[in-house]
Amino acid sequence: DGSRPGISVQIAKTEVRGPKSSPYAVYIMHIRTAFSVRGIARRYSEFRELDTALRATYASLPPLPGRRVFGRMSVQLVAERRRYLQEYLDNVLADHELACSEPVLTFLQIHGHETEEKIVFGSSHDLGRQIWDMPAGAPTDGVEQLLDTLRSRGDKRQEGRTLNCLGLMYAERGAHEKAIPMMQGAIETCREGLGKAQAHQSESNDGDDECAEEVEFWTTGMVVCISNLGCILTKTGHLQGALERFREGVAVGGELGDI
């Protein structure tokens, strides 16, 4: 439909790995959707595999930098690679259909994003704007309206995500006095959802997959929101509080088995 897909990818840095006889570069990417931030590493060969998979369906795909650019591991060449690959990703993500295609979601390890996008779009459509269309620096009013709508509908999943989103948006603007309560609200929403999901799971005797998915959803949400709050507290100089949050995140993640 031409709308933005709500996925932002930034190649934050490069690293040269492997033995001296055959070094290779990896590209450390920060991947952000409206409700999560994560980092992954990819080699050029994996970019090439992505490009091959996409061209089978999208013939007009923007070109991937040719192999002639990829030879030695000089600082200048690695920096040039990074710039070319960033441009390639920017072009891919600018196209809604491409950005939400199976090869891209697999490459970025964000399966389920398209489903969540549809859920949030369905919730926010009556507000006259999409949360995905809000660029950096945009007013938070639309997201706050979305939060009110989700609360009125009792949609706890999206309420938690939206609180987290608002917390990140406020933090980016330096409005930490607003960011911290939003993130605390997101954590409490996840904590409440997790408690209910665990109670339901304990009552189920048949190993209900849906119950397990619900527990994993809320546990993952708690880890993300707790980590985000820890980062905000660190930035504001509340180091003891940040340390406590990070420890809590480790404990919660450990319960999920997420090393």
Side-chain angles (χ1 to χ4, degrees):
D1 60 6
S3 62
R4 293 172 52 131
I7 306 172
S8 172
V9 179
Q10 184 70 35
I11 301 179
K13 63 178 181 177
T14 58
E15 294 180 0
V16 176
R17 299 178 180 176
K20 292 183 179 180
S21 58
S22 56
Y24 60 88
V26 296
Y27 303 87
I28 312 299
M29 299 182 292
H30 291 171
I31 301 168
R32 182 170 189 166
T33 66
F35 304 105
S36 67
V37 180
R38 64 181 305 176
I40 63 170
R42 289 287 182 264
R43 296 178 62 173
Y44 171 71
S45 59
E46 292 173 292
F47 277 89
R48 193 171 65 249
E49 290 170 1
L50 168 65
D51 186 70
T52 299
L54 288 175
R55 286 189 189 282
T57 306
Y58 307 98
S60 59
L61 188 69
L64 182 73
R67 271 186 150 311
R68 63 182 182 80
V69 179
F70 296 82
R72 298 166 296 161
M73 292 292 115
S74 69
V75 174
Q76 180 179 358
L77 190 59
V78 170
E80 188 175 11
R81 298 175 180 178
R82 173 178 167 181
R83 178 172 62 84
Y84 284 143
L85 291 176
Q86 183 67 61
E87 290 177 359
Y88 176 80
L89 287 173
D90 290 343
N91 286 329
V92 168
L93 295 176
D95 184 288
H96 184 279
E97 186 176 0
L98 272 174
C100 291
S101 65
E102 180 66 21
V104 171
L105 298 181
T106 298
F107 178 78
L108 298 177
Q109 294 182 348
I110 49 175
H111 277 95
H113 172 75
E114 186 175 18
T115 300
E116 301 306 337
E117 179 187 3
K118 290 177 180 177
I119 293 172
V120 175
F121 174 73
S123 299
S124 60
H125 189 61
D126 59 339
L127 301 179
R129 65 186 304 176
Q130 299 175 38
I131 191 171
W132 309 113
D133 286 336
M134 296 182 184
T140 57
D141 296 359
V143 185
E144 290 172 345
Q145 291 178 40
L146 172 59
L147 179 60
D148 290 339
T149 300
L150 295 171
R151 281 174 168 165
S152 68
R153 296 178 180 178
D155 190 339
K156 288 295 184 179
R157 279 195 170 207
Q158 296 307 320
E159 178 183 337
R161 285 196 177 100
T162 306
L163 283 166
N164 180 57
C165 179
L166 276 170
L168 292 173
M169 293 174 74
Y170 281 129
E172 286 179 347
R173 290 157 176 73
H176 300 111
E177 73 284 355
K178 293 184 177 180
I180 292 173
M182 288 294 176
M183 208 60 71
Q184 290 171 331
I187 293 170
E188 290 310 308
T189 299
C190 291
R191 198 187 308 278
E192 178 185 349
L194 178 58
K196 292 180 178 179
Q198 288 175 328
H200 188 196
Q201 187 179 47
S202 65
E203 295 170 359
S204 176
N205 298 320
D206 57 358
D208 191 338
D209 289 341
E210 186 174 342
C211 289
E213 187 277 332
E214 192 75 2
V215 168
E216 181 177 357
F217 172 87
W218 289 114
T219 303
T220 302
M222 276 195 67
V223 173
V224 170
C225 296
I226 288 170
S227 299
N228 287 339
L229 178 57
C231 291
I232 294 171
L233 292 174
T234 300
K235 192 172 183 179
T236 56
H238 295 85
L239 301 184
Q240 184 58 41
L243 181 59
E244 292 173 358
R245 297 290 76 75
F246 289 136
R247 284 174 173 167
E248 182 183 5
V250 170
V252 174
E255 292 177 5
L256 181 63
D258 189 342
I259 303 301

